Amino acid sequence: MKSNVFVSRLALGIYLLIFFGYLLGPLLIMSLTAFNSNAFPSVSPWACFTFEWFQVLFHDERILNSIKNSVIIGIGTVILSVAMGLAASLVLTQVWAKWRSTYYTIIIAPILIPGVVLGISTVVFWDRLSRILGPASDALFHNGIFLTVLGQSTFIASYAMLVFVARLQRYDPGLTEAALDLGATHTQAFRKILLPFMRPAIASASVLAFLASFENYNTTTFTFGRYPTLTIELAQKVRYGINPSISALAFIIVVLTVFGAIALEAWRRNKLKALAVKEGTAPVGRSILPGFLRGNWAAVVLVLMSFAVITVFWAGQSYSPAQCKQRVLELKQAETQRRIQELQLQRQIKRQADALKGPDIFGPSSQSGTGTAGDNPFGGVFNPGNLEGQSGTGTGPTEQPKPEEEPKAAPKPSPFGGVFDPGNLDDVGGN
Amino acid sequence: MADGVGVDLDNVWIRFGDFVAVREANVHINGGDFFSFLGPSGCGKTTILRAISGFLDPSEGRVLIGGNDMAGIGPNKRPTALIFQNLALFPLMKIWENITFSMEVKGASTAERRKRADELLDMIALEGQGDKLPSELSGGQKQRVAIARALCAEPDVLLLDEPLSALDLKLRQHMRTELREIQQRVGITFIYITHDQGEALTMSDNVAVMRAGIIDQIGTGHDVYDRPATAFVASFVGENNVFRGKIQEIQGNEALMQSNRSGLLRATITPSAVGELKVGDDAMMFIRPEALALANGDSHDKARISAKVLSEEFEGNSYSVYLEGDGGKEMKMSMPNLGQDPEASRGQDLTLSYDVGNAMVMPAGELASE
Amino acid sequence: MKKPLIFSQFFRNNGKMMGGIMMFLVAFWIIVLILLPQLSMLDFSFRFNLPPKELGGPKDVYTLHNYRYLLYGADGKEGTYNTVDLMVFVRTIIAAMAVTIADLILCYPLAYYLGQSKGTGFVRLLVVLLIIPYWINEILRAFALRIIFADSGIVNDVLMTLHLIKEPIDFIRADIALYAGLGYAYILLMLFPMYNVIESLDRNQIEAARDMGASWTRIHRRIVIPHAKPGISSGMTMVFMLSAGALAAPQILGGPSSLWFTQLVYQWFNGSLNWQQGSAYAIVLLVSSIVIVMTFMKIFKVNMGDIGK
């Protein structure tokens, strides 16, 4: 019996480990790659601990611009979808019972409609409308921000509506009637009674709507026009060439998210505790911790995390990976040198063997071709130091190569690619 | 105070789709009256209240307050204040803010509101509790806050929708007295909705008894209790023993009814049925348990019924004797406990007497279901 | 006493101004944002892709051409099917179903565990840990998987270090990364609805059943699963619809030779600039996924009202 319990606990533990490993592992590894100096985001081999990818990120105009677009679109979407969601949920409580399920199906459907369909239909509709209304409406109806806000609000309003419906279930419509009865106008009753009651729901719906807007890809990818959002820009980068500055951005987002989640939890616990104190159920005792932290692991973690982030930033200011990089560079050069020598040795052996076989008409030309290649332009092109140097100077604010071009740049000038085995190439290209 | 504002319902019909919630209601409520609508749940009394307060419009007919037609006037423009069944105190506002909400929407200053709140808190004996939240008060305190909030609006008519139903028995009885006192003090018209006949009878000047959208009877508490207009009123208000039968003879305002099981019974025709009830009609006779007594020597002038005892209960201040009554239904007699032996044992045949003036006969009709 | 939504009553309940604002917002949403765009896309899908000056001209007529293309390919000959696109379509639907079922199996135990062990700090910690990936961008989550499934990624590294494989596996080409990514992207939409309903299940019911000698499988089959049905169906509907309609994960994690149906839509729209053809493909995607969801909801007797709970 006892071993049975142990086995089931073990199974549960392993299952939880796998589940959370699947869920969080990729994010953790992605975050770590932001600090590795390798040009392809990876954790192994670990080259040098570096902050350079953050520098690359902070000087990427396109990313910064897209963040601005995302925020503008996010705010527009929050306003529109929260207003529509609230109105729709209020109408739902009053709609004639016969029509209720039809109505509900219509306003919940956008959640289930694929995002691409929403994006396409929005673009198609407004394009059609602008053709009907003439060129005067063109500028607005083909504006990426306008279309994206509308396209996203179509389904985000449904999410907001669900939040409001849940809250409204606990609302007593008698309160509004009481206010009216006491002489309030409908607007006053709404503002003074219903709105304060809905405030928590409006806050959470707004956060939800903003996050959903910020993250949205499927709809936005059709509607953004000349205003790419952060997600669009990220997708472009990820699709057409990966480099760790994306990891750096991901790391920042992960940290912000963790902060947000923990802050929320800390706030929730604090509120619960306040409630417990009020009811006299909280344990009363003295502690060296200030009240906010007592019995609230989330708050403790929050404070510790803030310290950690400050420390890391401070370290980032003074830390320089130059020395480490130099070492890695030397190691690599030595490695390349070794390989070249090895290769030359092999060729020499082969040449000797060929010579022994007898003269060949095509022999000398081909031999000389590879021979000269093997000697000089070789190291010049493939010397990893070249690349490292570039990304090294890339940390400066002025000239920098487009990050995603780097991996491509390496294989390109290699007419001698055939000389190396593919693994070797990858290694150089990847570093 | 007879100078209060009266309310009139003039041939009011209220329909929801095919369903008729209120049918041809004609009610005149005197200014300054404590008027109750009494009826079982679902009889349409709340609907009438909502029509008076302006949350819905009658499908037909008029609602008049102080003689003015209220058609098209919203609840926030009517001189009424409603106390909701669940009180509907604003949970996020402090008590004083709740009470003076009607002033807030008119733009009164905080100081004015504070002052008025203190006066009203004094009146409802909740001094110094103005800064609490409704959730911090007890049921009876919330009740009083709801009343103060409604009174703060200075309505001409106060409407109360079963406001005591959530309270426990003791508090309910206490609040009845208090409500009546407040009404007499402020002197405005109170319209009260209840399914509890005890509340209606103790507090009201006049009562309207409703059944399935129809007003059966309007009158004083005595009227509806002692001279019910219909079988429904007789069976709904207070306890009553019912006997069914056919009218055999009519003499003035008295009738002789051939009952199904208990022989020939003599009773008074209820005033509203005088001249309507004819010989041969199906009729019902009602007699209250306290109007029955054991027949003895000095009750020659009284009518008699004989029945078999089924059981007997001692209730402290009285005995209840259950007898085999009419139509298989039990008949109940109650006798005050004056220290005597009830002299009733199971299976015994008893002869009971009653005063003809206390037995009411009327056309057969629908009874209130228990 | 439900009052009918006769407009006068609606305005009486809400006031002219508030009622007007509410009506306007709801009408704007339903008509301008939901219905008209869908209808104009439907209309578009039955038209030819014409240059602007020929619009409204004699060639601007309704046609089934765009739908025929999906079935029969460019030459439009019946009998030779457009196998490439049709295979993509079938693969998308089947793979989305497989992803849905995989997510269900993976989430059910956790939803049960979280839902039934209330209140402890450890469980709250797990919930917070769940929320974190939920808030992180879809693209970044796909990117994270791209990193770990790369040739020199950690998965290959670990496998090689353990000498389980000699050469790195191309997870991208084998579509393993894609399926893992799709499952990863929407797994929490499966978990949370189930967690919410299971949390509302009275623990005593399970104990009573156990007391009567029911086995664990029977308890789940007879008590927990019937109770959790709205959550399960809600989660499955969301995961299926979102997987079938996913674009980011296939674009980032999909192999070069295998496409997702949404990528075809994307290509028609943004690559070939043939909006009409793209609309037709989008309509096919929309209608078929709705039909599939409706069919399953009918089979398992689930109401629309359960979705989104």
Side-chain angles (χ1 to χ4, degrees):
Chain A
M1 198 62 208
K2 215 168 194 174
S3 70
N4 227 344
V5 170
F6 177 73
V7 167
S8 67
R9 289 212 146 218
L10 192 70
L12 177 71
I14 291 171
Y15 164 73
L16 285 179
L17 214 64
I18 290 174
F19 192 97
F20 282 91
Y22 180 42
L23 215 56
L24 300 173
L27 300 179
L28 188 70
I29 287 165
M30 173 173 63
S31 303
L32 286 179
T33 62
F35 298 97
N36 192 353
S37 62
N38 280 345
F40 182 86
S42 55
V43 281
S44 62
W46 187 266
C48 291
F49 182 80
T50 179
F51 290 107
E52 69 189 72
W53 303 117
F54 288 89
Q55 309 263 6
V56 173
L57 175 70
F58 293 146
H59 294 108
D60 190 329
E61 283 299 325
R62 289 173 62 184
I63 289 281
L64 297 181
N65 190 46
S66 69
I67 291 177
K68 196 184 80 192
N69 290 338
S70 276
V71 170
I72 294 171
I73 288 170
I75 291 172
T77 306
V78 165
I79 294 172
L80 186 59
S81 56
V82 165
M84 292 192 306
L86 183 59
S89 63
L90 289 172
V91 170
L92 182 68
T93 59
Q94 298 179 26
V95 122
W96 207 354
K98 233 197 289 181
W99 291 95
R100 185 164 307 155
S101 70
T102 313
Y103 174 71
Y104 187 75
T105 306
I106 292 175
I107 58 176
I108 200 79
I111 287 184
L112 297 177
I113 296 175
V116 281
V117 175
L118 289 178
I120 290 176
S121 60
T122 305
V123 172
V124 166
F125 170 66
W126 292 98
D127 176 63
R128 173 67 69 82
L129 203 61
S130 83
R131 238 178 290 148
I132 293 169
L133 296 182
S137 57
D138 241 33
L140 179 64
F141 290 178
H142 287 134
N143 179 301
I145 290 180
F146 174 79
L147 289 176
T148 306
V149 167
L150 292 184
Q152 291 185 348
S153 299
T154 309
F155 75 96
I156 293 177
S158 301
Y159 286 120
M161 186 268 303
L162 287 176
V163 174
F164 294 133
V165 166
R167 180 83 180 156
L168 275 175
Q169 270 164 1
R170 278 181 291 152
Y171 183 69
D172 172 14
L175 293 179
T176 299
E177 293 192 341
L180 292 177
D181 191 63
L182 292 168
T185 62
H186 283 95
T187 317
Q188 279 175 323
F190 180 81
R191 202 164 43 101
K192 288 175 187 286
I193 308 296
L194 185 65
L195 215 51
F197 178 84
M198 296 302 284
R199 195 162 289 149
I202 290 172
S204 50
S206 301
V207 171
L208 196 80
F210 190 80
L211 286 176
S213 160
F214 210 82
E215 294 205 343
N216 182 266
Y217 176 68
N218 291 2
T219 302
T220 314
T221 195
F222 292 97
T223 54
F224 69 86
R226 280 182 293 115
Y227 299 91
T229 63
L230 179 63
T231 307
I232 297 292
E233 206 59 74
L234 272 178
Q236 308 274 9
K237 279 192 190 303
V238 172
R239 284 173 68 199
Y240 302 121
I242 288 179
N243 86 55
S245 72
I246 308 169
S247 303
L249 179 61
F251 174 74
I252 293 172
I253 293 178
V254 168
V255 168
L256 286 179
T257 309
V258 171
F259 251 116
I262 293 179
L264 194 72
E265 180 67 11
W267 177 79
R268 202 189 68 96
R269 297 201 141 237
N270 213 40
K271 229 174 70 169
L272 277 182
K273 214 173 55 183
L275 208 70
V277 168
K278 208 154 112 190
E279 287 167 2
T281 52
V284 183
R286 288 166 82 79
S287 165
I288 40 164
L289 288 172
F292 174 65
L293 297 178
R294 214 177 298 146
N296 190 341
W297 59 261
V300 174
V301 172
L302 192 66
V303 170
L304 289 180
M305 253 187 75
S306 315
F307 276 124
V309 168
I310 292 165
T311 316
V312 166
F313 261 95
W314 176 77
Q317 297 295 311
S318 51
Y319 172 81
S320 162
Q323 217 179 354
C324 163
K325 275 191 168 169
Q326 191 58 41
R327 213 175 48 242
V328 170
L329 201 87
E330 279 162 11
L331 270 175
K332 274 201 188 130
Q333 276 170 336
E335 170 75 15
T336 320
Q337 210 58 49
R338 199 180 55 77
R339 286 196 189 187
I340 290 168
Q341 278 168 3
E342 217 169 72
L343 214 67
Q344 281 174 336
L345 202 69
Q346 277 176 1
R347 275 206 199 97
Q348 221 145 36
I349 292 166
K350 202 171 166 233
R351 212 178 305 169
Q352 281 168 359
D354 284 351
L356 280 178
K357 262 198 229 161
D360 191 329
I361 339 164
F362 302 107
S365 61
S366 67
Q367 272 167 24
S368 68
T370 34
T372 42
D375 271 344
N376 42 33
F378 222 50
V381 178
F382 283 120
N383 187 351
N386 245 354
L387 269 173
E388 287 294 341
Q390 268 183 359
S391 33
T393 48
T395 55
T398 47
E399 52 91 24
Q400 55 168 327
K402 276 273 175 287
E404 66 256 40
E405 282 166 7
E406 278 178 44
K408 284 188 204 150
K412 244 186 212 160
S414 64
F416 315 103
V419 182
F420 292 97
D421 67 291
N424 207 350
L425 238 180
D426 262 11
D427 198 37
V428 177
N431 278 306
Chain B
M1 293 220 188
D3 53 341
V5 171
V7 176
D8 288 280
L9 301 183
D10 179 14
N11 189 32
V12 167
W13 289 70
I14 299 171
R15 298 189 190 86
F16 299 114
D18 295 333
F19 174 70
V20 181
V22 176
R23 191 183 295 267
E24 210 190 342
N26 283 294
V27 183
H28 171 75
I29 299 167
N30 291 323
D33 249 17
F34 197 118
F35 190 94
S36 292
F37 284 94
L38 172 66
S41 52
C43 71
K45 54 193 192 302
T46 301
T47 308
I48 286 192
L49 204 67
R50 294 176 66 82
I52 297 173
S53 55
F55 290 112
L56 54 89
D57 270 333
S59 319
E60 231 178 84
R62 297 184 305 160
V63 175
L64 300 120
I65 299 179
N68 301 316
D69 190 349
M70 288 288 126
I73 296 177
N76 42 6
K77 301 265 159 47
R78 298 195 181 188
T80 57
L82 175 59
I83 294 179
F84 290 74
Q85 187 161 11
N86 62 359
L87 306 182
L89 295 182
F90 306 130
L92 302 175
M93 291 186 194
K94 290 177 176 163
I95 296 303
W96 74 270
E97 292 174 306
N98 255 290
I99 290 178
T100 57
F101 184 79
S102 56
M103 298 168 72
E104 182 186 340
V105 299
K106 292 193 184 78
S109 73
T110 309
E112 269 178 274
R113 290 171 58 205
R114 272 286 190 182
K115 190 165 158 283
R116 180 78 179 125
D118 286 342
E119 287 168 20
L120 284 160
L121 283 167
D122 256 3
M123 186 193 95
I124 58 172
L126 281 176
E127 305 89 343
Q129 315 251 38
D131 282 312
K132 287 188 174 172
L133 286 172
S135 56
E136 294 170 285
L137 298 188
S138 71
Q141 288 172 327
K142 282 185 205 166
Q143 189 74 60
R144 298 205 289 264
V145 171
I147 294 166
R149 184 178 73 176
L151 292 177
C152 182
E154 295 181 343
D156 295 327
V157 179
L158 190 68
L159 307 164
L160 304 99
D161 185 4
E162 308 213 26
L164 305 184
S165 58
L167 304 181
D168 61 54
L169 183 69
K170 220 173 184 146
L171 200 51
R172 201 151 64 211
Q173 277 166 348
H174 172 73
M175 285 308 295
R176 280 183 200 172
T177 332
E178 205 159 314
L179 269 179
R180 185 70 177 147
E181 272 172 23
I182 290 172
Q183 194 260 338
Q184 271 156 5
R185 200 166 345 137
V186 295
I188 59 173
T189 312
F190 274 40
I191 300 179
Y192 193 89
I193 291 284
T194 183
H195 65 271
D196 179 330
Q197 29 124 351
E199 278 174 18
L201 298 183
T202 42
M203 293 190 286
S204 319
D205 297 311
N206 280 295
V207 180
V209 184
M210 286 189 73
R211 157 178 65 105
I214 300 165
I215 296 174
D216 264 16
Q217 185 175 6
I218 301 174
T220 63
H222 277 291
D223 284 338
V224 296
Y225 192 84
D226 294 334
R227 290 173 289 281
T230 64
F232 175 81
V233 176
S235 55
F236 184 75
V237 182
E239 280 182 295
N240 238 332
N241 295 307
V242 58
F243 300 83
R244 295 152 201 271
K246 272 198 164 40
I247 300 295
Q248 202 165 60
E249 203 184 316
I250 290 183
Q251 305 163 338
N253 64 351
E254 276 186 19
L256 217 53
M257 182 180 86
Q258 178 62 51
S259 74
N260 294 346
R261 299 270 297 264
S262 310
L264 219 49
L265 297 171
R266 179 172 295 275
T268 312
I269 302 172
T270 202
S272 60
V274 173
E276 229 174 85
L277 207 58
K278 301 274 184 307
V279 171
D281 281 358
D282 284 329
M284 282 179 173
M285 187 197 99
F286 293 89
I287 184 153
R288 305 232 173 239
E290 66 271 16
L292 288 170
L294 288 175
N296 53 27
D298 52 294
S299 56
H300 313 287
D301 53 331
K302 293 190 177 174
R304 285 165 191 255
I305 317 176
S306 50
K308 187 171 285 189
V309 175
L310 292 173
S311 63
E312 180 220 48
E313 278 171 11
F314 175 56
E315 285 175 3
N317 60 346
S318 67
Y319 293 95
S320 292
V321 183
Y322 293 92
L323 305 119
E324 208 175 75
D326 180 77
K329 270 189 121 189
E330 279 180 349
M331 179 160 83
K332 182 180 172 187
M333 172 177 82
S334 63
M335 294 187 295
N337 176 12
L338 305 169
Q340 86 284 31
D341 191 46
E343 301 172 41
S345 56
R346 202 181 151 75
Q348 188 186 352
D349 276 314
L350 285 182
T351 305
L352 307 177
S353 67
Y354 62 88
D355 199 329
V356 175
N358 290 333
M360 305 306 294
V361 68
M362 59 201 74
E366 186 191 334
L367 297 179
S369 51
E370 284 303 299
Chain C
M1 258 181 271
K2 279 283 145 289
K3 277 152 272 132
L5 180 78
I6 300 162
F7 283 111
S8 66
Q9 184 65 44
F10 179 80
F11 283 110
R12 165 164 217 127
N13 287 349
N14 298 285
K16 281 199 184 64
M17 190 170 128
M18 293 312 297
I21 292 172
M22 277 161 63
M23 269 291 149
F24 171 76
L25 284 170
V26 172
F28 180 75
W29 184 21
I30 291 182
I31 296 169
V32 181
L33 295 189
I34 302 178
L35 294 180
L36 287 180
Q38 301 299 321
L39 288 176
S40 59
M41 185 176 73
L42 187 67
D43 174 74
F44 234 65
S45 74
F46 288 109
R47 288 175 182 274
F48 286 111
N49 183 23
L50 297 172
K53 56 175 184 280
E54 286 183 37
L55 288 176
K59 283 190 183 170
D60 198 0
V61 288
Y62 285 110
T63 172
L64 284 172
H65 170 266
N66 296 320
Y67 293 93
R68 292 171 65 90
Y69 185 90
L70 173 59
L71 274 179
Y72 303 117
D75 41 3
K77 257 185 262 152
E78 308 210 0
T80 56
Y81 291 100
N82 184 359
T83 37
V84 177
D85 289 4
L86 287 176
M87 275 311 290
V88 169
F89 176 70
V90 171
R91 195 178 81 103
T92 301
I93 298 293
I94 291 176
M97 285 182 184
V99 164
T100 308
I101 290 165
D103 273 354
L104 174 67
I105 293 168
L106 208 50
C107 287
Y108 181 80
L110 185 64
Y112 177 75
Y113 171 70
L114 291 181
Q116 285 296 297
S117 41
K118 281 168 194 155
T120 63
F122 181 61
V123 168
R124 268 316 293 183
L125 177 68
L126 292 186
V127 173
V128 172
L129 285 180
L130 286 175
I131 288 174
I132 291 168
Y134 195 58
W135 281 357
I136 285 170
N137 210 309
E138 202 182 334
I139 303 285
L140 289 179
R141 285 187 280 171
F143 173 66
L145 286 187
R146 174 83 186 263
I147 292 174
I148 66 169
F149 279 123
D151 273 355
S152 57
I154 192 139
V155 177
N156 269 323
D157 262 14
V158 167
L159 289 177
M160 296 224 298
T161 317
L162 294 175
H163 295 289
L164 290 171
I165 51 168
K166 283 212 189 76
E167 291 284 307
I169 299 173
D170 193 341
F171 288 108
I172 308 270
R173 194 170 289 274
D175 282 336
I176 293 175
L178 173 59
Y179 297 138
L182 284 171
Y184 186 60
Y186 306 118
I187 194 164
L188 293 163
L189 290 170
M190 179 70 83
L191 184 73
F192 283 127
M194 277 205 283
Y195 165 57
N196 285 339
V197 284
I198 292 179
E199 201 182 20
S200 70
L201 172 65
D202 184 4
R203 229 195 125 69
N204 291 339
Q205 285 189 23
I206 294 168
E207 260 151 31
R210 205 147 54 151
D211 201 42
M212 288 181 253
S215 64
W216 271 117
T217 42
R218 183 173 292 273
I219 288 175
H220 280 277
R221 219 182 56 224
R222 301 279 293 150
I223 295 166
V224 184
I225 292 179
H227 180 84
K229 209 169 88 177
I232 293 175
S233 54
S234 176
M236 289 185 79
T237 308
M238 302 268 269
V239 172
F240 173 77
M241 293 298 278
L242 287 172
S243 306
L247 181 59
Q251 278 182 343
I252 293 166
L253 294 167
S257 55
S258 53
L259 285 173
W260 207 246
F261 195 70
T262 48
Q263 284 174 288
L264 295 183
V265 177
Y266 184 84
Q267 281 174 2
W268 281 121
F269 219 79
N270 285 0
S272 320
L273 292 176
N274 186 343
W275 289 13
Q276 290 76 5
Q277 188 70 59
S279 297
Y281 274 42
I283 292 277
V284 168
L285 175 68
L286 176 65
V287 170
S288 47
S289 29
I290 287 176
V291 166
I292 289 168
V293 167
M294 292 300 205
T295 314
F296 277 97
M297 278 166 77
K298 199 108 202 165
I299 294 173
F300 293 107
K301 299 194 177 65
V302 182
N303 296 323
M304 194 69 188
D306 293 332
I307 306 301
K309 268 183 189 152

